[in-house]
Amino acid sequence: MATSSGRWEALRKEARHLENEIDVQLVTLSKLGVGRGLSLSDGSPGACDAVAVTIEKLLMKLSNINGGMSDELQGYSSTMMSSSMAHTLQRHRDILQDYRQEFNKTKASIRANRARDELIGSVRRDIDAHRSRTDLYMKEHGQLQSSDRLLDDSLGVAMSAEESLLSQRRVLSRTNSQMADLLNRYPAIGNLINRINLRKRRDGLVLGAVISFCIIALFVYARA
């Protein structure tokens, strides 16, 4: 009985030690998971995962200790001591259950925080990508507007040149018409112009003949 009592006491002390350690680890995990707390000064998602793994191992150890205490309880024949030990065992089981519930709640909160951060990050990336595309579209729109203005300016210059040519054509047409009217009214002027043109042609022929004679003379002289 004394040996059994010693084992019970050792298991109870180990249970208390594990409960204190689990409590510390739960507080640490809760701090790491506060708010956006997956990247605190000493924490990141990896830190949270490491603490969670440690807590799971401690909970498993505490569950095994409670199982050992339950086995020891079966060997007691004293009703009074057995009742006290059963009460103690139940208290440790309740503490284990509370720790598990708190651990699951904290993990769920951390997962929710991670999902929220991932969603916010995804939205921000989408916004940045949309802003980049918008800037590109605005730049291309500005280039198109600049090209449109250049094309409008070129068309304006071409239209101005066309108007100038049409105006010159109208002036020449009026001049020719006026000249024709003048010649019809004053035939003498027409005859004078024809004489001048005829004289120009005749002078051109004479000059051509002289030049040809000179060339032939030079050729004959050179051969002589």
Side-chain angles (χ1 to χ4, degrees), residues 1 35 47 50 74 81 98 104-105 107 119 122 139 142 144 148 156 191 198 208 215 220:
M1 182 68 68
Q74 302 299 325
M81 183 170 292
D98 291 342
N104 291 332
K105 184 188 298 183
K107 285 198 303 182
L119 177 60
S122 176
K139 182 178 180 180
L144 289 175
D148 289 341
N191 294 330
L198 180 62
I215 292 173
V220 171

Side-chain angles (χ1 to χ4, degrees), residues 59-208:
L59 290 173
M60 181 62 67
K61 288 182 179 180
L62 182 57
S63 178
N64 293 335
I65 292 297
N66 288 345
M69 293 173 66
S70 177
D71 294 339
E72 289 295 326
L73 181 60
Q74 302 299 325
Y76 277 86
S77 59
S78 172
T79 305
M80 182 177 298
M81 183 170 292
S82 177
S83 176
S84 176
M85 293 171 66
H87 177 74
T88 301
L89 176 59
Q90 185 60 43
R91 183 168 59 84
H92 285 297
R93 286 174 173 172
D94 292 341
I95 292 174
L96 174 61
Q97 182 65 24
D98 291 342
Y99 281 156
R100 282 175 173 167
Q101 291 178 356
E102 183 177 354
F103 178 53
N104 291 332
K105 184 188 298 183
T106 303
K107 285 198 303 182
S109 177
I110 291 175
R111 283 195 295 268
N113 288 341
R114 286 182 178 178
R116 181 192 63 187
D117 287 350
E118 290 176 358
L119 177 60
I120 292 175
S122 176
V123 171
R124 286 178 176 174
R125 287 191 295 270
D126 290 342
I127 291 175
D128 292 340
H130 177 71
R131 184 181 294 114
S132 177
R133 289 194 297 269
T134 301
D135 293 341
L136 180 61
Y137 293 155
M138 292 299 294
K139 182 178 180 180
E140 291 179 351
H141 181 67
Q143 292 176 348
L144 289 175
Q145 285 185 330
S146 178
S147 299
D148 289 341
R149 286 193 295 269
L150 181 61
L151 180 60
D152 291 340
D153 294 340
S154 300
L155 290 175
V157 171
M159 293 177 67
S160 298
E162 183 183 12
E163 288 292 334
S164 177
L165 291 174
L166 290 175
S167 177
Q168 293 177 12
R169 182 177 179 181
R170 287 193 293 268
V171 170
L172 291 175
S173 178
R174 286 196 298 270
T175 301
N176 291 333
S177 177
Q178 291 174 356
M179 182 63 68
D181 292 340
L182 183 62
L183 292 176
N184 291 329
R185 290 182 182 181
Y186 305 100
I189 295 177
N191 294 330
L192 179 61
I193 292 176
N194 289 330
R195 290 177 184 176
I196 292 173
N197 291 332
L198 180 62
R199 185 173 180 178
K200 284 183 178 181
R201 287 195 294 271
R202 185 181 61 189
D203 291 343
L205 291 174
V206 172
L207 180 61

Side-chain angles (χ1 to χ4, degrees), residues 26-82:
L26 284 173
V27 171
T28 301
L29 183 64
S30 179
K31 288 181 179 179
L32 288 175
V34 168
R36 306 188 59 160
L38 300 181
S39 56
L40 300 180
S41 59
D42 61 343
S44 66
C48 289
D49 293 340
V51 175
V53 170
T54 300
I55 293 175
E56 288 177 350
K57 291 180 179 179
L58 292 173
L59 290 173
M60 181 62 67
K61 288 182 179 180
L62 182 57
S63 178
N64 293 335
I65 292 297
N66 288 345
M69 293 173 66
S70 177
D71 294 339
E72 289 295 326
L73 181 60
Q74 302 299 325
Y76 277 86
S77 59
S78 172
T79 305
M80 182 177 298
M81 183 170 292
S82 177

